[in-house]
Amino acid sequence: MNTPGESTAKGDAAFYVGLDIGGTKFLVAGADGQGKILGRIQEATPPDVESGLNALNRMIAAVARGRRVTGIGAAIGGPLDWKRGIVSPLHQPQWREVPLKAIMEAEWGCPFFVDVDTNVAALGEYHFGGERAPRLLYLTLSTGMGGGFLVDGRIYRGKNGGHPEVAHQSVNFRCGHPERVACECGAPDCLEALVSGNGIRRIYGKPAECLAREEWLEVAYNLGQGLRNLAAVYLPDVIVLGGGVAVGGGGPLVARASTVMEERLRIVPPPAIRLSRLGYDTALMGAVAIAMRGLED
């Protein structure tokens, strides 16, 4: 079996595949040895595991176009065991204890790496998004909320290799409908319940793109309170925001949330707050990065 970065055979050019395995869509991209995308494909997420695996294999074959695959990287929702490559994504209820690494390595004969999508997205920002800060915190505001923290380009992991759940912090929030604030994890007052796509729908009865200005101001305030906590605890150099809600809120959301953070942050220096330069491709490009470089303890 090939190690990351090794040519597949004498005279062959390296070809890497990135998988973004989402709850609503699959994205697959093929890249050369410099990470340049040579082809990509998107399909709706099938409901069951067998159909999902068949779709991924079909999509990999489509972007490979007969090339031998050097390595595959994947981003998927947690929880998962990143070392053994066993996945149980929360938003794909039929995917439970799936030995994805073993399945894919047997199918394609190359190294396969998988991690929580927000960790992978953070690596995408670092390697392909121009964010080379020593301490980089990536946050996604999408259907749910999550984050990945890099220190000198390496993923920060918690006890027993666990993934820190930055979205499930409690914040002093503002909301015109406090009775509607309910996090899917079951804990009260979570940031995710206030600023994620699902949380916004629950509170305001509509998707984020339909929010009125006053409602966006509430979301920005609550996000700013969360950024304040994260800045105080992690002391990142930069916080990058991605995902549909963040991209939809755009510059005004980032500016207002940054102001709230800075007004309430003491003792520690405020980090820079930026929107992702990779847009909706952050996790996909991160998957290409781990296909090329592997994952480290």
Side-chain angles (χ1 to χ4, degrees):
M1 186 174 293
N2 303 301
T3 56
E6 182 182 10
S7 180
T8 56
K10 187 175 181 179
D12 287 352
F15 181 77
Y16 299 97
V17 173
L19 314 177
D20 182 356
I21 306 172
T24 59
K25 65 181 182 295
F26 288 171
L27 291 172
V28 176
D32 65 15
Q34 287 69 51
K36 179 183 177 182
I37 299 301
L38 303 177
R40 57 182 291 157
I41 190 170
Q42 175 178 327
E43 290 188 13
T45 301
D48 63 280
V49 177
E50 183 177 0
S51 298
L53 293 173
N54 288 339
L56 288 173
N57 286 325
R58 183 178 66 252
M59 294 167 76
I60 293 170
V63 297
R65 299 177 63 183
R67 301 179 184 92
R68 189 174 175 190
V69 179
T70 310
I72 303 172
I76 194 169
L80 57 77
D81 181 330
W82 68 274
K83 286 189 175 181
R84 295 189 297 157
I86 298 174
V87 304
S88 301
L90 183 64
H91 295 294
Q92 290 158 255
Q94 294 191 38
W95 288 55
R96 290 296 172 267
E97 297 295 315
V98 178
L100 192 59
K101 178 180 176 68
I103 291 170
M104 286 297 182
E105 289 187 343
E107 179 71 23
W108 293 97
C110 67
F112 178 90
F113 306 95
V114 61
D115 208 337
V116 176
D117 47 12
T118 48
N119 281 345
V120 177
L123 289 169
E125 292 293 338
Y126 187 82
H127 291 292
F128 295 112
E131 296 291 353
R132 284 297 184 126
R135 291 161 294 274
L136 166 64
L137 178 60
Y138 173 81
L139 301 179
T140 183
L141 307 182
S142 187
T143 303
M145 179 186 176
F149 187 45
L150 303 184
V151 179
D152 295 327
R154 299 182 63 172
I155 298 169
Y156 170 82
R157 301 186 189 277
K159 183 179 178 181
N160 298 326
H163 178 64
E165 294 292 349
V166 297
H168 298 283
Q169 56 173 297
S170 179
V171 297
N172 181 17
F173 66 86
R174 291 177 183 173
C175 182
H177 303 283
E179 73 283 358
R180 300 178 188 173
V181 178
C183 188
E184 293 170 27
C185 78
D189 305 340
C190 285
L191 181 61
E192 177 171 308
L194 297 157
V195 301
S196 69
N198 281 350
I200 286 170
R201 283 181 181 272
R202 187 178 296 111
I203 292 169
Y204 303 104
K206 52 189 170 184
E209 59 265 26
C210 296
L211 292 181
R213 180 178 180 276
E214 295 75 16
E215 294 164 337
W216 269 120
L217 288 175
E218 283 189 350
V219 173
Y221 175 85
N222 296 327
L223 176 60
Q225 288 282 49
L227 295 179
R228 171 205 179 188
N229 291 343
L230 294 170
V233 172
Y234 282 118
L235 273 71
D237 298 287
V238 61
I239 299 177
V240 179
L241 302 176
V245 174
V247 172
L253 174 66
V254 173
R256 178 57 184 155
S258 298
T259 298
V260 171
M261 176 195 72
E262 292 178 10
E263 287 175 346
R264 289 157 177 79
L265 191 62
R266 300 290 186 271
I267 303 176
V268 303
I273 310 293
R274 288 197 279 270
L275 275 176
S276 169
R277 297 186 178 102
L278 297 177
Y280 293 102
D281 282 348
T282 307
L284 184 64
M285 294 307 300
V288 171
I290 65 173
M292 297 172 67
R293 296 170 173 83
L295 286 166
E296 299 176 295
D297 291 335

